[in-house]
Amino acid sequence: GQTISIRYNAVINSSALVGDEANPNSVKLTYSNNPEDSTSNGTTPDSTVNTYTTQITVQKNDQSGNPLTGAEFTLTGTNMNVVVTTQGVFTENAAGTYYLLPDGTYSTIEPSGYTGKKYALETQVIVQGKGQTATNVSGYVDANGQIVFKGLGPGTYTLTETVVPNGYNGLDPVTFTIGFEYTNNTPDFTITPAAGSSATFDEKDNLFTF
């Protein structure tokens, strides 16, 4: 008669899809009150979590617009991965195809003498942001003067040039905000630099140019 809850955590890695493509993870539980009879197994509805993440690209150039190496950038802020959860929920429905059993589970087979209500399995979408640990990531630009910071979620970030190439002046830190909306089953990231930014920003490519 007791309720058993099972919870697990999964973390996206460097292979995660970026932008409006979801990183899905699904789980369901197969259970039985009679381990000796596999035909009596029940299965919970699938619960699917779609995690979305985005990235920014930093381009370091000299005064003539040519790529410049030797610069290190540090990104600090908060990393909140956006989680869109899809889960099955049984709701009362006269046209449904599920029957509530005495043990609280549901079956598509009508029990003999059943006088209870009928149920339908519906899908509900829940959008939530899950707070992660603080972000503090540093790296040098490559031979093309670029560095990419991946795995970013909604929050406010500051991009700082922490190592300045010899013979050049460092630039002021750039603060920007990443927003996220999930409407009409469509994810949408927005990146908004603070006013007076010392870098130019290309919204199409999420590209900061210093």
Side-chain angles (χ1 to χ4, degrees):
Q2 295 180 336
T3 298
I4 299 175
S5 298
I6 298 175
R7 176 176 295 180
Y8 73 97
N9 294 322
V11 180
I12 59 174
N13 56 29
S14 58
S15 300
L17 299 175
V18 174
D20 58 2
E21 295 189 74
N23 295 278
N25 195 313
S26 297
V27 64
K28 65 181 178 181
L29 178 66
T30 300
Y31 60 92
S32 173
N33 290 327
N34 184 2
E36 297 180 358
D37 181 9
S38 61
T39 62
S40 66
N41 288 350
T43 302
T44 62
D46 282 0
S47 178
T48 300
V49 171
N50 290 325
T51 301
Y52 296 89
T53 185
T54 190
Q55 68 182 38
I56 65 166
T57 302
V58 178
Q59 175 71 52
K60 176 69 174 179
N61 293 332
D62 63 17
Q63 64 270 27
S64 299
N66 299 313
L68 187 63
T69 60
E72 179 195 63
F73 287 91
T74 298
L75 184 67
T76 59
T78 56
N79 184 2
M80 265 174 56
N81 287 325
V82 173
V83 178
V84 177
T85 301
T86 303
Q87 61 187 57
V89 177
F90 289 101
T91 57
E92 182 180 340
N93 189 322
T97 58
Y98 289 86
Y99 303 87
L100 178 62
L101 303 182
D103 63 0
T105 61
Y106 295 85
S107 172
T108 56
I109 300 175
E110 183 176 0
S112 177
Y114 185 79
T115 58
K117 300 175 181 178
K118 298 176 69 175
Y119 296 82
L121 179 60
E122 299 181 353
T123 299
Q124 294 184 354
V125 177
I126 303 170
V127 180
Q128 62 184 21
K130 182 179 180 181
Q132 303 290 309
T133 57
T135 297
N136 190 328
V137 183
S138 298
Y140 281 87
V141 297
D142 60 19
N144 297 313
Q146 287 192 353
I147 182 173
V148 179
F149 293 97
K150 296 182 178 181
L152 306 180
T156 300
Y157 298 84
T158 299
L159 186 64
T160 306
E161 188 177 8
T162 45
V163 174
V164 181
N166 291 333
Y168 292 86
N169 294 323
L171 298 175
D172 294 334
V174 172
T175 298
F176 61 95
T177 301
I178 297 179
F180 180 85
E181 290 186 357
Y182 190 86
T183 55
N184 298 323
N185 294 324
T186 302
D188 181 35
F189 280 102
T190 57
I191 298 180
T192 308
S197 171
S198 59
T200 60
F201 177 67
D202 183 348
E203 186 175 356
K204 178 181 177 181
D205 300 317
N206 293 349
L207 174 66
F208 286 92
T209 301
F210 282 78

